[in-house]
Amino acid sequence: MPSATDQKKLATKILAKIHTSSSRISQEEYADLADWVHELDYHYHTLDNPLVSDKEYDDFFHGLKQIESENPSWILSNSPTHRVGGAVLPVFTKGTHRLPMLSLANSYDPEDLIDFDQRIQNFLKTTSKFEYFCEPKFDGLSMEIIYENGVFTKALTRGDGVTGEDVTINVKTIKSIPLRLNSKKPPALLEVRGEVLILKEDFKSLNQFQEKEGLPTFANPRNAAAGSIRQLDSKISASRPLKFYGYNLGQYQGIEFSSQSDVYETFKELGIPTYSQATRVCSDIQEVVKFYKDLEETKSKLPFDIDGLVVKINSRALQDELGLVAKSPRWATAAKFKPDTAETVVEEIFCQVGRTGAITPVALMTPVKVGGVTVTYATLHNQEEIDRKDIRVGDTVVIQRAGDVIPEIIRSMPEKRSASSTPYRLPVHCPACKSLLHQHPDEAVVRCLNSECPAILKESLKHFASRRAMNIEKMGDRWIETFVDSGLVKSFADFYGLKKADLLNLDRQGDKSADNILKSIEHSKKTTLARFIYALGIRYIGETTAKHLADHFLTIERFVGATEDELMKVPEIGEKVAQSTLGWLGNPSHRNQVKDLISAGIMVAQAKVNTSGPLSGKSFLITGTLPIPRDQAQAQIQESGGKLLSGVSSKLNFLVAGEDPGSKLEKANNLGVTVVGWSDVLKMIENP
Ligand code: IVH
């Protein structure tokens, strides 16, 4: 293989050739560039030792994409560009494992390890010691990845052990998994088995992102990993921070392994990620028991969740001799760790009202330490969950904190319950406004539907003012509660009508702090359309969706007038978001709120300004009926760089008049504004 320096030189030359387009790129050059990007991926994601800067990487990657878009027949099935996802499947096809994927015998008691060792001695009719390979029991999703002649060809989930689901398109997006093995003479076949998981750090960020986007959060990293792999749209999988660690073999040909230590070493050489930092080769079972205890102590420092120790006879020859019992190998076992749990008492169950009116029951408990943190509250999710676990006020409950996951009540202890205890029922009326609560037949959650509920108002206002929405910096939650309780703020627009005297009338309100609040309110008026849409708090519209809507509609007015057809044209917007948006916009009180905000002086910057288009620097206003729908005409003007104004003034360059133009035409004529027809605009676009 050429050295990295030579490869880089070659790739840089190919890139230059693409950009100058002086001569055609050959298929061989395409393959060379693909090789180079593979190499860069391997150094970056697997070795954690990037060879080039991010910018340089992007250049090579985009070069490769460009060649592929011009020569689709050349695209290699394992091209590095496939990692970004894009393919969407109707369903997953099934695939049969060449060798079944077994399960491990397991126990929570480390003393059982001694029995395990004893059983092996008995089976092999010997009293000698065995060398054991110990490794973490990863708490993810097991996966088989198949390499044929060194090329990644397929990935199957475990499924029922015999047949799994073909999730190749999604596993390809996991950047640390090589699409080609790092070997000059790759084996004819190598089935790598291991675990797909999400690191604890990444899990936190993923849930923060989900929350911000108004999407459901995941209960734990395992669920998140499993959910991410089972996406039919591979772009979603590609966006999730998935990792893979190999630890076992399926079928293989043209390669040998002498021991489990050798499996780890060979995987590493081939570029397959392994986690060897938490493995140990032990010379007898006593050492294994000691390692189990060590790992239980230190497991919280690992970057991912583990639920125990896997112990394997190290020698592959001995493994073969030992074979299987039922559906588990005789040569391996799992010693699980007990999760951190604690007992405490539920003192009270109260209900929180969310921004969307969702009622969430929360248990207030006698504070107790579990897994190193003091816990006082635990969400009970909904009535179904409370019934399933039968949790009542006064109950002694077991709370568990597994890994970095938010502590939860796993069960109640009815044996410790007093005879007078009764099951908990969610209130029938909203705790804040006393209106009757509703439950949609398809949902587990109960909601308050009162549009004037003060609790919903407070949460909506908090969202509106939050940093990623309108960013009213000095407006803390406490202030919002005071404003609502005192009746000063009843809607978004009321923030903008607050006067200094109003603030000074409130308790403990100093002059300086009043000025600061008013300043930050004023400041927030200049915003972007994306932030504005996000701030409205429409269900399912998170930051990213808001950005897509803003890029499409460009002005508040067009967004407010959106039709279902047009919403469905916006990238990444489906039926659910479209319906929720239409429902919100269809409510007259919501439309009034938007109107009030505009009158209050909210200024939204143009979402997408095209400064190089044929109409750039010119302003337009449309009046009357044009030969094409007005919103299309507006979009075309903006796409060509033109600016749309909302009224006739001397600043207006062109009034575009259609049929029945009305009073605007007269005003434009009086001010000397140029009046044109739609065909003139088209001419300006075509012949600038
Ligand atoms: S070896 C016979 N090693 O545990 C199966 N499995 O109960 C041999 N697992 O489905 C598998 N960490 O998903 C092996 N270090 C590890 C493991 C591990 C987690 C999972 C695997 C398997 C399950 C078996």
Side-chain angles (χ1 to χ4, degrees):
M1 224 175 250
S3 75
T5 331
D6 289 346
Q7 257 187 305
K8 184 174 178 184
K9 269 191 202 148
L10 180 65
T12 310
K13 253 193 209 156
I14 299 171
L15 211 56
K17 216 165 150 184
I18 301 173
H19 296 322
T20 55
S21 64
S22 51
S23 54
R24 271 194 63 74
I25 302 281
S26 71
Q27 189 164 0
E28 198 187 342
E29 285 171 318
Y30 162 67
D32 285 338
L33 187 58
D35 273 353
W36 174 238
V37 178
H38 273 303
E39 194 68 22
L40 294 180
D41 278 342
Y42 170 62
H43 279 264
Y44 185 93
H45 294 288
T46 310
L47 302 183
D48 218 358
N49 179 24
L51 288 182
V52 298
S53 71
D54 289 359
K55 162 83 178 65
E56 282 179 292
Y57 178 86
D58 286 346
D59 290 345
F60 289 122
F61 187 88
H62 287 118
L64 194 64
K65 273 206 95 139
Q66 191 175 332
I67 305 179
E68 291 185 342
S69 69
E70 286 159 14
N71 307 279
S73 64
W74 294 354
I75 301 178
L76 292 160
S77 70
N78 67 337
S79 166
T81 60
H82 292 181
R83 293 216 188 265
V84 293
V88 180
L89 298 178
V91 282
F92 290 116
T93 55
K94 301 260 182 221
T96 305
H97 299 286
R98 286 190 179 86
L99 293 178
M101 283 181 85
L102 307 170
S103 54
L104 287 167
N106 65 64
S107 138
Y108 279 96
D109 186 351
E111 288 307 307
D112 287 349
L113 287 168
I114 311 289
D115 296 342
F116 165 69
D117 183 61
Q118 188 71 54
R119 280 197 301 276
I120 294 178
Q121 283 191 342
N122 293 346
F123 186 84
L124 296 175
K125 300 195 172 59
T126 167
T127 52
S128 45
K129 294 177 177 177
F130 304 105
E131 191 173 84
Y132 287 107
F133 189 89
C134 299
E135 53 190 292
K137 187 168 193 314
F138 299 94
D139 192 14
L141 183 78
S142 47
M143 187 68 62
E144 175 168 83
I145 300 177
I146 305 173
Y147 289 91
E148 288 169 81
N149 299 313
V151 175
F152 177 135
T153 52
K154 197 189 260 193
L156 295 174
T157 61
R158 179 174 183 277
D160 60 7
V162 177
T163 348
E165 280 178 318
D166 186 331
V167 287
T168 310
I169 57 157
N170 293 340
V171 173
K172 268 193 181 172
T173 68
I174 304 178
K175 307 229 174 23
S176 62
I177 298 180
L179 298 177
R180 288 176 334 166
L181 294 177
N182 182 30
S183 160
K184 280 182 212 137
K185 275 201 203 136
L189 175 68
L190 178 61
E191 294 184 341
V192 174
R193 291 175 178 181
E195 207 91 346
V196 171
L197 50 81
I198 290 182
L199 303 186
K200 293 190 274 197
E201 276 289 312
D202 292 337
F203 174 72
K204 272 193 211 153
S205 328
L206 173 62
N207 261 356
Q208 277 166 6
F209 172 83
Q210 293 286 111
E211 204 152 23
K212 203 180 78 195
E213 290 300 312
L215 299 167
T217 53
F218 300 100
N220 54 52
R222 212 206 86 84
N223 286 2
S228 302
I229 279 296
R230 295 206 69 263
Q231 291 291 334
L232 291 165
D233 178 351
S234 58
K235 267 230 165 69
I236 301 181
S237 310
S239 74
R240 303 277 170 80
L242 297 167
K243 292 281 183 303
F244 174 83
Y245 295 108
Y247 51 65
N248 196 26
L249 296 162
Q251 186 105 287
Y252 52 89
Q253 250 170 51
I255 189 165
E256 290 303 324
F257 300 89
S258 60
S259 62
Q260 177 65 7
S261 321
D262 187 21
V263 170
Y264 265 67
E265 274 156 36
T266 309
F267 279 4
K268 198 167 180 187
E269 280 164 23
L270 294 174
I272 297 160
T274 53
Y275 196 83
S276 52
Q277 293 92 315
T279 63
R280 188 179 293 177
V281 179
C282 297
S283 48
D284 63 21
I285 202 72
Q286 305 306 332
E287 249 188 68
V288 174
V289 175
K290 182 160 182 315
F291 185 56
Y292 170 91
K293 290 180 179 155
D294 289 351
L295 195 61
E296 183 159 39
E297 286 281 298
T298 55
K299 66 168 192 195
S300 63
K301 297 201 178 72
L302 291 177
F304 43 77
D305 286 337
I306 68 172
D307 54 5
L309 182 71
V310 175
V311 184
K312 299 173 180 169
I313 284 276
N314 201 16
S315 150
R316 293 280 299 164
L318 271 184
Q319 288 181 5
D320 284 345
E321 209 175 322
L322 286 159
L324 306 177
V325 242
K327 283 198 165 126
S328 306
R330 193 176 270 114
W331 48 267
T333 193
K336 292 226 205 176
F337 299 134
K338 292 178 197 77
D340 294 316
T341 59
E343 272 179 37
T344 185
V345 172
V346 175
E347 294 179 355
E348 191 190 326
I349 297 178
F350 61 91
C351 283
Q352 283 177 336
V353 187
R355 171 161 66 82
T356 59
I359 306 290
T360 310
V362 178
L364 169 67
M365 302 169 296
T366 312
V368 64
K369 257 199 147 162
V370 51
V373 297
T374 304
V375 180
T376 316
Y377 299 100
T379 170
L380 298 172
H381 304 285
N382 51 52
Q383 184 72 54
E384 240 170 61
E385 185 82 359
I386 295 176
D387 293 347
R388 195 170 60 77
K389 294 178 179 165
D390 188 15
I391 294 165
R392 308 179 183 188
V393 176
D395 269 6
T396 302
V397 290
V398 179
I399 57 174
Q400 175 175 311
R401 184 166 178 268
D404 265 12
V405 174
I406 307 157
E408 61 169 341
I409 297 184
I410 49 167
R411 63 189 176 89
S412 61
M413 302 176 82
E415 62 277 18
K416 297 199 175 176
R417 185 178 277 166
S418 86
S420 62
S421 134
T422 50
Y424 176 81
R425 297 291 316 161
L426 232 64
V428 183
H429 296 103
C430 172
C433 71
K434 310 291 172 232
S435 64
L436 202 61
L437 296 175
H438 288 258
Q439 182 170 18
H440 191 275
D442 296 340
E443 285 190 333
V445 42
V446 171
R447 288 179 199 279
C448 169
L449 300 183
N450 173 11
S451 57
E452 278 157 35
C453 171
I456 299 179
L457 177 62
K458 283 177 188 171
E459 295 309 309
S460 309
L461 292 169
K462 286 177 196 170
H463 173 76
F464 182 84
S466 67
R467 198 167 56 83
R468 312 189 81 102
M470 297 299 283
N471 191 23
I472 311 185
E473 274 181 70
K474 303 286 174 207
M475 185 68 70
D477 289 359
R478 291 273 290 282
W479 274 118
I480 293 179
E481 290 181 12
T482 314
F483 288 143
V484 174
D485 292 341
S486 63
L488 273 176
V489 175
K490 298 194 186 70
S491 71
F492 299 144
D494 286 348
F495 277 137
Y496 298 95
L498 286 170
K499 302 269 178 313
K500 190 158 172 183
D502 296 332
L503 301 182
L504 291 174
N505 278 340
L506 293 172
D507 279 352
R508 288 177 286 111
Q509 178 49 53
D511 202 65
K512 181 132 189 263
S513 129
D515 283 341
N516 282 339
I517 292 185
L518 291 173
K519 225 188 262 168
S520 73
I521 293 175
E522 189 57 33
H523 222 86
S524 76
K525 283 186 182 170
K526 257 197 191 155
T527 189
T528 62
L529 182 58
R531 277 176 177 270
F532 181 82
I533 294 177
Y534 174 60
L536 297 176
I538 301 171
R539 238 172 125 198
Y540 308 122
I541 300 190
E543 269 184 287
T544 310
T545 309
K547 178 92 185 45
H548 285 303
L549 289 165
D551 284 346
H552 184 87
F553 290 104
L554 302 165
T555 66
I556 299 183
E557 292 78 6
R558 288 190 56 211
F559 171 67
V560 175
T563 61
E564 180 170 3
D565 280 355
E566 222 193 331
L567 281 167
M568 295 296 287
K569 277 191 221 144
V570 181
E572 333 240 322
I573 287 190
E575 188 84 28
K576 197 172 80 174
V577 182
Q579 285 313 327
S580 158
T581 309
L582 286 175
W584 197 93
L585 294 172
N587 181 330
S589 101
H590 292 156
R591 296 175 84 95
N592 283 335
Q593 284 200 48
V594 174
K595 251 194 223 142
D596 292 347
L597 282 169
I598 298 173
S599 327
I602 296 288
M603 269 187 307
V604 161
Q606 197 95 287
K608 219 198 275 171
V609 190
N610 182 349
T611 48
S612 61
L615 302 185
S616 69
K618 299 185 178 108
S619 60
F620 297 81
L621 174 67
I622 297 173
T623 182
T625 313
L626 300 188
I628 63 168
R630 182 176 291 204
D631 53 359
Q632 278 180 30
Q634 286 176 331
Q636 206 168 338
I637 289 174
Q638 284 177 321
E639 275 154 23
S640 306
K643 214 161 101 183
L644 289 168
L645 297 190
S646 55
V648 181
S649 70
S650 56
K651 284 195 192 134
L652 179 67
N653 298 123
F654 299 100
L655 180 77
V656 187
E659 275 175 46
D660 301 328
S663 65
K664 283 191 182 127
L665 180 60
E666 201 185 310
K667 195 167 174 198
N669 282 330
N670 290 341
L671 286 171
V673 172
T674 314
V675 178
V676 294
W678 180 241
S679 60
D680 300 312
V681 177
L682 289 178
K683 273 183 214 144
M684 283 188 242
I685 294 175
E686 278 151 29
N687 313 302

